């Protein structure tokens, strides 16, 4: 899932304003670097100068500059300036009370009556906003049979929120969103139970063809009703589906292991089953994203009380039909034992393999920085992001900041900019375009030797932001397969029945405007896993990358 940026450096590329001979973008980059190296006084002064030069249309950028200034001033011990920054940020529209309350850089302000007053002001603003945009009436809990009114309300909210906020309607130019709403209404009214209603909403959202616009079930108990999984995972290799990992002891006892091919599900060929049961309900941004979601993420999920009959072929070609039960969410999570967000090891030839599986929190960046002194002794680094589904882009940028000796550009982005008065006057408004961002280099550490990045269709969201920045840096080669081609900041809101909807509100591109959403990021060295290697335990893509890394290091 996509992140929320803590500092919108991109903003200032778009303003084009100059501050004391430098652009605001350059001033902010220096302010962030000063903060990073601990010169908080200089950082706060720079933010103060930038904030004073922004015009009245700076919007979110003014908010972020003021917030960053508050952080720097608080760390510098200047409580008065920090509170002044925060007060101005709240007036500019900052309504993130939890962020302020739990931000360690603002710890010195906690307990100050003036901060309490600001938090109370935010709470009042949020209450007014929630009455308009987030009525608790839509958060009706799950029941097996929602009322017709609740079902219609859920569809209507989904339709209206997407209509005004979805960032990618231009990618589905033949979609008539209003007509689809009218077509879906009678099916939602006629849905015999909540599961059928949920499936109708899934199908409705899937027509947006966007992996960041989907439905999430709020509680584990509801997921068990609709999305329980068996204790094995799958891999999509050369158009076929294979067992990747087995973590249910009963399935291991049945002899099922990595490399077994799935041929049938409940007597049907896997592809036939997936086309009927999954494709119409799967929100995906690209063909490779669709295949990954259908055959690797969702293929075997379904109601907990409905086991599957799966036809396998083992590596010797022997056929097996096995009844496979699904596991409750808690049991599944415990059995699967989520792999760590960060791992590294040294491969023959003094090549460091750094595996980054998640940017969901700061773990990957923190641990990379902690291990950097040892990793930097390698003659080349291979970063493996093939199973990184995203999180917070800033985590990846922190890692990239150690691979360069200069600031680097990050994704450009745009978002719908709906202005009702202009619509009333029949004047169309373009999207708000924030331009590219910039991230400072580490300033102290710099790895200058060869670097490669491994990608797949499972490289997704904030992980793709990492790859875009790496590619734009021209720091090294990307090896493997097209990424998923889906990123953006999803807006989340409740629907009746314990469901949460996500609508993608933001379109990212390369800094120069090159598209990757709906396309994927193309590797310079395209390498695909092969069935033969997969079944023999060889990593086709990694082997190719290591050969390239050794050649680059010579």
């Amino acid at each position: 899932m996509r992140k929320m940026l803590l500092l919108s450096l991109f903003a200032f590329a778009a303003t084009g304003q100059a501050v004391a001979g430098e652009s605001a973008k350059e001033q902010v980059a220096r302010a962030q670097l000063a903060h990073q190296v601990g010169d908080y006084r200089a950082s706060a002064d720079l933010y103060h100068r930038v904030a004073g030069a922004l015009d009245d249309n700076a919007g979110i950028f003014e908010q972020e500059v003021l917030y960053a200034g508050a952080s720097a001033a608080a760390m510098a011990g200047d409580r008065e300036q920090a509170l002044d920054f925060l007060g101005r940020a709240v007036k500019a529209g900052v309504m993130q009370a939890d962020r302020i309350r739990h931000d360690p850089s603002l710890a010195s302000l906690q307990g100050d009556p003036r901060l309490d007053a600001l938090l109370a002001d935010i709470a009042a603003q949020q209450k007014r906003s929630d009455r308009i945009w987030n009525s608790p009436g839509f958060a009706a809990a799950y029941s097996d049979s929602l009322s017709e009114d609740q079902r219609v309300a859920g569809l209507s909210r989904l339709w209206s929120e997407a209509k005004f906020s979805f960032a990618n309607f231009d990618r589905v130019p033949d979609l008539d969103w209003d007509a689809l709403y009218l077509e879906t209404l009678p099916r939602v009214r006629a849905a015999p139970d909540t599961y059928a209603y949920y499936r109708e909403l899934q199908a409705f959202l899937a027509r947006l063809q966007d992996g960041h616009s989907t439905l999430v079930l709020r509680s584990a108990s509801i997921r068990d009703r609709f999305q329980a999984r068996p204790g094995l995972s799958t891999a999509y290799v050369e158009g076929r589906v294979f067992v990747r990992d087995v973590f249910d002891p009963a399935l291991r006892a049945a002899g099922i292991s990595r490399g077994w091919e799935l041929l049938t599900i409940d007597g049907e060929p896997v592809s036939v089953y997936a086309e009927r049961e999954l494709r119409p309900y799967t929100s995906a941004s690209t063909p490779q994203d669709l295949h990954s979601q259908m055959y690797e993420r969702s293929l075997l999920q379904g109601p907990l009380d409905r086991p599957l009959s799966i036809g396998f072929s083992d590596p010797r070609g022997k056929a097996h039909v096995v009844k496979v039960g699904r596991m409750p969410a808690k049991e599944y999570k415990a059995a699967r034992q989520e792999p760590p967000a960060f791992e590294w090891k040294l491969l023959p030839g003094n090549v460091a393999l750094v595996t980054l599986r998640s940017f969901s929190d700061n773990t990957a960046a923190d641990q990379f920085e902690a291990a950097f002194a040892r990793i930097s002794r390698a003659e080349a680094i291979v970063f493996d992001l093939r199973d990184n589904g995203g999180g917070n882009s800033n985590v990846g940028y922190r890692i990239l900041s150690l691979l360069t000796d200069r600031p680097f550009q990050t994704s450009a982005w745009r978002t719908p900019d709906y202005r009702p008065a202009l619509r009333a006057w029949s004047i169309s408004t373009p999207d708000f375009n924030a331009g590219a961002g910039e991230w400072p280099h580490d300033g102290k550490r710099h790895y200058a030797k060869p670097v490669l990045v491994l990608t797949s269709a499972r490289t997704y969201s904030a992980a793709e932001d990492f790859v875009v920045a790496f590619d734009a840096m021209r720091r090294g080669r990307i090896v493997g397969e097209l990424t998923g081609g889906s990123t953006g900041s999803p807006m989340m809101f409740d629907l009746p029945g314990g469901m949460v909807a996500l609508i993608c509100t933001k379109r990212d591109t390369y800094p120069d405007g090159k598209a990757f959403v709906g396309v994927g990021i193309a590797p310079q060295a395209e390498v695909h896993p092969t069935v033969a290697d997969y079944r023999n335990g060889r990593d086709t893509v990694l082997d190719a990358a290591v050969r390239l890394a050794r050649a680059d290091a010579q």
Side-chain angles (χ1 to χ4, degrees):
M1 203 61 61
R2 179 61 191 267
K3 75 292 166 189
M4 180 174 69
L5 292 175
L6 296 184
L7 181 59
S8 298
L9 292 175
F10 338 59
F12 307 103
T15 66
Q17 296 170 312
V19 180
E22 288 184 309
S23 71
K25 172 185 173 183
E26 292 168 330
Q27 291 270 338
V28 168
R30 288 206 296 120
Q32 191 181 32
L33 182 58
H35 193 287
Q36 192 169 332
V37 300
D39 191 350
Y40 303 117
R41 181 68 269 158
S43 179
D45 290 344
L46 285 163
Y47 283 124
H48 178 74
R49 292 163 65 185
V50 172
L54 291 176
D55 61 32
D56 292 338
N57 295 316
I60 187 174
F61 309 132
E62 180 184 16
Q63 297 174 20
E64 293 297 335
V65 166
L66 292 169
Y67 188 92
S71 173
M75 293 295 286
D78 191 338
R79 180 186 293 251
E80 296 300 320
Q81 187 182 41
L83 287 166
D84 179 64
F85 268 125
L86 271 183
R88 293 166 61 192
V90 171
K91 287 182 180 178
V94 169
M95 291 196 297
Q96 297 166 297
D98 284 343
R99 178 183 177 188
I100 295 171
R101 197 174 282 115
H102 300 296
D103 188 337
S105 72
L106 302 178
S108 63
L109 307 181
Q110 303 304 320
D112 190 299
R114 291 168 293 179
L115 180 63
D116 293 340
L118 283 175
L119 293 174
D121 189 16
I122 292 173
Q125 291 186 54
Q126 189 64 59
K127 187 175 181 179
R128 290 192 296 271
S129 177
D130 285 346
R131 278 199 298 267
I132 300 171
W133 298 109
N134 201 29
S135 170
F138 283 103
Y142 176 83
S143 70
D144 289 333
S145 290
L146 294 171
S147 72
E148 181 178 320
D149 285 347
Q150 287 175 315
R151 297 195 301 272
V152 170
L155 173 66
S156 299
R157 185 175 196 193
L158 194 55
W159 161 76
S160 63
E161 293 282 13
K163 186 179 182 74
F164 296 104
S165 302
F166 182 53
N168 297 317
F169 272 119
D170 59 306
R171 289 197 52 248
V172 282
D174 297 328
L175 175 64
D176 186 330
W177 189 239
D178 290 350
L180 181 62
Y181 168 73
L182 294 173
E183 291 170 11
T184 307
L185 262 174
R187 293 196 295 271
V188 162
R189 285 196 178 101
D193 54 31
T194 301
Y195 181 69
Y197 160 69
Y198 167 68
R199 295 283 270 180
E200 288 294 345
L201 296 189
Q202 277 188 311
F204 183 68
L205 267 182
R207 295 288 292 277
L208 293 177
Q209 298 179 31
D210 183 86
H212 276 67
S213 301
T214 187
L215 290 182
V216 176
L217 300 174
R218 185 176 290 282
S219 72
S221 61
I222 305 175
R223 289 194 294 274
D224 286 348
R225 287 176 178 268
F226 299 163
Q227 294 180 340
R229 302 167 184 265
L232 62 83
S233 60
T234 54
Y236 188 66
V237 182
E238 293 189 308
R240 296 156 65 182
V241 183
F242 294 88
V243 173
R244 180 174 181 176
D245 293 302
V246 180
F247 33 88
D248 182 342
L251 297 182
R252 288 199 198 103
I256 300 171
S257 62
R258 180 184 174 93
W260 280 38
E261 184 175 3
L262 281 73
L263 301 177
T264 63
I265 298 176
D266 291 340
E268 290 185 303
V270 167
S271 60
V272 174
Y273 176 90
E275 286 292 319
R276 186 189 69 252
E277 294 293 323
L278 296 170
R279 180 185 281 270
Y281 311 101
T282 301
S283 295
S285 296
T286 60
Q288 65 270 22
D289 181 19
L290 180 65
H291 288 144
S292 178
Q293 294 212 47
M294 286 171 58
Y295 294 111
E296 295 180 325
R297 303 182 209 179
S298 305
L299 182 64
L300 304 179
Q301 73 180 22
L304 180 62
D305 59 356
R306 297 183 196 170
L308 298 166
S309 177
I310 302 179
F312 294 97
S313 174
D314 67 26
R316 293 170 297 179
K318 184 178 179 181
H320 307 260
V321 177
V322 181
K323 189 174 183 179
V324 176
R326 297 182 172 110
M327 305 170 73
K330 288 184 179 179
E331 184 180 331
Y332 177 91
K333 184 177 181 180
R336 187 173 179 224
Q337 295 181 345
E338 193 75 25
F342 169 88
E343 283 185 306
W344 85 278
K345 62 182 177 180
L346 203 60
L347 302 177
N350 199 25
V351 174
L353 173 62
V354 176
T355 302
L356 305 173
R357 294 190 182 90
S358 173
F359 294 151
S360 61
D361 58 27
N362 286 317
T363 299
D366 290 346
Q367 295 188 1
F368 177 73
E369 290 174 355
F372 181 77
R374 289 172 291 159
I375 294 172
S376 63
R377 299 183 193 129
E379 293 302 314
I381 299 176
V382 175
F383 287 98
D384 188 352
L385 279 83
R386 288 176 293 174
D387 286 310
N388 191 321
N392 187 328
S393 298
N394 294 349
V395 178
Y397 297 155
R398 284 177 54 193
I399 294 169
L400 289 172
S401 73
L402 277 71
L403 308 181
T404 180
D405 60 355
R406 65 192 67 185
F408 58 92
Q409 287 192 303
T410 60
S411 303
W413 62 270
R414 60 183 174 83
T415 189
D417 190 14
Y418 178 64
R419 301 186 184 190
L422 297 185
R423 181 182 169 199
W425 300 333
S426 299
I427 299 174
S428 62
T429 54
D431 287 348
F432 176 81
N433 193 330
E438 188 169 272
W439 194 269
H441 60 97
D442 178 82
K444 295 180 180 178
R445 297 163 290 187
H446 174 210
Y447 184 82
K449 288 177 275 191
V451 179
L452 295 92
V453 171
L454 309 186
T455 60
S456 76
R458 298 180 302 278
T459 307
Y460 214 66
S461 194
E464 292 183 276
D465 296 334
F466 176 101
V467 180
V468 163
F470 175 82
D471 199 13
M473 289 165 67
R474 301 186 182 278
R475 185 61 184 82
R477 280 181 282 189
I478 303 167
V479 181
E481 303 173 286
L482 280 169
T483 63
S486 183
T487 192
S489 294
M491 177 173 60
M492 303 175 68
F493 51 91
D494 290 317
L495 298 178
M499 301 172 200
V500 178
L502 284 72
I503 296 293
C504 183
T505 62
K506 180 167 164 283
R507 169 81 68 84
D508 290 70
T509 68
Y510 271 77
D512 63 3
K514 177 183 174 183
F516 70 93
V517 171
V519 181
I521 302 164
Q524 285 84 24
E526 186 174 350
V527 184
H528 300 277
T530 68
V531 170
D533 280 353
Y534 189 82
R535 280 188 147 167
N536 284 302
R538 292 191 294 267
D539 190 330
T540 315
V541 177
L542 177 59
D543 290 349
V546 170
R547 288 194 297 270
L548 291 171
R550 289 171 182 159
D552 290 346
Q554 290 178 352

